[in-house]
Amino acid sequence: MADQNALEPYLLDPAVSIRHTIETIDKSQLRIALFVDTERRLLGIATDGDIRRAVLRGVSLDAPSSEIMTTAPQVAEEGTPDDAILTRMQSLSLYQLPVLDAEGRLVGLRTIDGLLRRTTHPNRVVLMAGGFGTRLRPLTDSRPKPMIDVGGRPLLETVLTSFIARGFVRFSISVNYRADMIEEYFGDGSAWGAEIQYLRETEPLGTAGSLTLLRDRPEEPFFVMNADILTSVNFRHLMDFHIEADAVATMAVRNHDMTIPYGVVDVDRHRLTAIREKPVHSFFINAGLYVLAPSALDRLQAGVRIDMPALFEGLIAEGKTVSAFPIREYWRDIGQHADLARAEDDFDTVFGG
């Protein structure tokens, strides 16, 4: 259990900005911010998921954290046995549980990983690395796009190690074009302390269709990610968000602004009612990173090509719970030469060389 002294850097006043709370959560392995009064009485908590849901609602990051904190969180009383706390956390899908004394003061924090003594997670990661990368020719004439060097190593290696750093070590890599290069480089994953299986496509099945090649049906929610994306997103936060939403599928999304390079005129019949000079329109776009519940696989048919957007559209049409996870961290789709050049420039700053 994290004790009082260890928790000190993560105890905040509810008046601090949401931006400050983000910084606190990002530098902590506890994935939570705890709001207390001057006597350390717990006033509320905020998780990464609380913040991302606020972003989706359009809440300003400069607003006070009191606007997004949960004011009546689940807590445990000091002295509660670990087995009782663990059972409760598992039944409620909680990852952290504050521990309070009889006066409501924070005396500790239980985490599911600490109680299970867990350093890795069972969730599988499916990486889509079978594309031809035609827009990056001639670099891809002799190698698949995920094997192009960025920051002195293959892009796919950075993706792989980013997941491993968060405790996700079970991988399935979907391969097609120049699959031999990927399989020879990564092997069974043991050199990275991971387990790698390969999904070998004899013909393109799309970003969702290749999931029918999985050797075993996952028992836990699992990631699907395009292997040509470079991001510093915390994958643990994404998985937590998906589970908290009780979703069958979660799509990571990225904010994208488009500026209209003209003065836009509003007209009512013959009357000009307004002029907006070079307005900016903001959209959430698909970031190529997903979490699926195992039941999402029921919509797929072996050998039938389907991409992830079509799978999501089908789930939405069925009335399933489908959620959006806004990425606020670094993200770049390595689709064209200009994207590759920018990723190369950014690499040392974002990933530490």
Side-chain angles (χ1 to χ4, degrees), residues 11 24 30 98 121 135 165 183 218 232 279 282 288 305 344:
L11 305 185
T24 299
L30 301 176
H121 307 290
R135 291 180 297 170
E183 295 186 26
S232 62
S282 185
R305 180 186 175 95
E344 190 70 53

Side-chain angles (χ1 to χ4, degrees), residues 234-255:
N234 185 323
F235 300 112
R236 184 67 251 177
H237 289 168
L238 171 54
M239 183 58 69
D240 290 351
F241 185 95
H242 170 84
I243 294 172
E244 288 171 8
D246 195 23
V248 69
T250 296
M251 176 186 291
V253 297
R254 179 75 176 171
N255 187 261

Side-chain angles (χ1 to χ4, degrees), residues 7 10-12 21 24-26 28-35 44-48 50 73 95-98 109-111 237:
L7 290 176
Y10 314 115
L11 305 185
L12 301 176
T21 297
T24 299
I25 292 175
D26 283 352
S28 166
Q29 295 299 314
L30 301 176
R31 312 200 301 267
I32 193 173
L34 302 149
F35 300 99
I45 67 170
T47 65
D48 182 80
D50 293 325
Y95 291 94
Q96 313 95 348
L97 193 67
L109 181 74
R110 290 297 199 195
T111 65
H237 289 168

Side-chain angles (χ1 to χ4, degrees), residues 249-277:
T250 296
M251 176 186 291
V253 297
R254 179 75 176 171
N255 187 261
H256 180 72
D257 292 334
M258 291 184 62
T259 301
I260 306 299
Y262 306 101
V264 174
V265 176
D266 294 335
V267 176
D268 180 10
R269 295 185 180 181
H270 65 281
R271 294 181 61 249
L272 190 153
T273 59
I275 301 174
R276 291 169 289 133
E277 191 64 33

Side-chain angles (χ1 to χ4, degrees), residues 9 24 46 55 64 66 76 97 126 129 131 137 145 151 169 178 182 189 227 259 272 314 343:
T24 299
V55 169
S66 56
L97 193 67
V126 182
R137 287 176 176 168
K145 182 164 60 171
V169 297
R178 293 307 311 267
I182 294 174
T259 301
L272 190 153

Side-chain angles (χ1 to χ4, degrees), residues 18 37 45 62 194 253:
I18 296 172
D37 63 14
I45 67 170
D62 295 317
V253 297

Side-chain angles (χ1 to χ4, degrees), residues 189-207:
S190 56
W192 285 267
E195 165 215 309
I196 298 178
Q197 299 176 1
Y198 295 95
L199 312 180
R200 298 177 179 88
E201 297 183 47
T202 56
E203 58 183 80
L205 292 172
T207 50

